[in-house]
Amino acid sequence: MLHAIAPDNDRPFTDICRQHNWKRTVQRRAVFTYLCGNHDHPTVETVWRRVRDTLPDVSLDSVYRILDDFSSVGLIRRLEGAKVIRYDADTRPHEHFVCDRCGRMHDFACIEPEEVVAKCRDFGRVDSVELTVHGLCRDCLVARQ
């Protein structure tokens, strides 16, 4: 749950790298730092651009690999419900509203994941629950008028 970690706290980064046998690279640290406290649901390109502000030589490929590593161990969530893949540093159960015009994504909570899991047990094993609502955000609705 990176969204709750202070970006300047090195201890969680060190512990996570040790736990997953990852090298403590400056690239990995820069991506980790960017995601700490982040609530924006960035795309890989957004993460790459922001990380390049402090690490100009970081490659897009490196950022892809780091984000894949982070999402594969549940450190962040990979969101595929929008037009582009986004990443969420908040791994607690919650839902998303996506504006189909501008692509902005907002968090909200209203559904109990346990209720969804209970209703789906007849179909098989549920590994995760994700709800994405699509529509137009207020800004895009105003701009449309």
Side-chain angles (χ1 to χ4, degrees), residues 34-78:
Y34 172 73
L35 292 172
C36 287
N38 187 295
H39 299 278
D40 292 339
H41 308 94
T43 64
V44 68
E45 288 82 7
T46 301
V47 175
W48 175 61
R49 282 194 305 274
R50 296 298 184 267
V51 169
R52 278 191 354 179
D53 291 344
T54 56
L55 254 168
D57 293 336
V58 68
S59 71
L60 182 60
D61 189 51
S62 290
V63 173
Y64 267 109
R65 281 195 310 273
I66 292 165
L67 290 172
D68 281 345
D69 286 347
F70 287 177
S71 64
S72 71
V73 299
L75 199 56
I76 59 175
R77 289 171 61 189
R78 180 183 163 117

Side-chain angles (χ1 to χ4, degrees):
M1 214 162 36
L2 291 184
H3 82 286
I5 298 174
D8 57 348
N9 186 351
D10 194 52
R11 179 64 180 215
F13 175 70
T14 299
D15 291 346
I16 289 166
C17 287
R18 192 172 289 134
Q19 178 183 358
H20 298 289
N21 295 317
W22 293 335
K23 292 181 181 178
R24 291 185 67 229
T25 65
V26 293
Q27 295 89 348
R28 189 179 306 278
R29 176 64 171 141
V31 171
F32 182 89
T33 299
Y34 172 73
L35 292 172
C36 287
N38 187 295
H39 299 278
D40 292 339
H41 308 94
T43 64
V44 68
E45 288 82 7
T46 301
V47 175
W48 175 61
R49 282 194 305 274
R50 296 298 184 267
V51 169
R52 278 191 354 179
D53 291 344
T54 56
L55 254 168
D57 293 336
V58 68
S59 71
L60 182 60
D61 189 51
S62 290
V63 173
Y64 267 109
R65 281 195 310 273
I66 292 165
L67 290 172
D68 281 345
D69 286 347
F70 287 177
S71 64
S72 71
V73 299
L75 199 56
I76 59 175
R77 289 171 61 189
R78 180 183 163 117
L79 306 173
E80 300 186 35
K83 293 178 182 176
V84 295
I85 294 171
R86 294 180 176 272
Y87 294 89
D88 195 346
D90 183 354
T91 57
R92 296 174 299 177
H94 65 279
E95 293 73 45
H96 295 98
F97 174 87
V98 177
C99 179
D100 290 328
R101 177 180 273 170
C102 69
R104 275 184 269 178
M105 186 177 275
H106 303 277
D107 293 340
F108 70 96
C110 75
I111 296 175
E112 293 298 323
E114 297 81 24
E115 184 180 335
V116 175
V117 170
K119 289 184 183 221
C120 293
R121 280 203 178 105
D122 289 341
F123 307 125
R125 184 185 80 201
V126 175
D127 294 323
S128 66
V129 176
E130 188 172 311
L131 172 69
T132 303
V133 177
H134 291 264
L136 291 179
C137 69
R138 286 188 182 136
D139 292 343
C140 288
L141 284 171
V142 169
R144 193 174 182 179
Q145 294 176 0

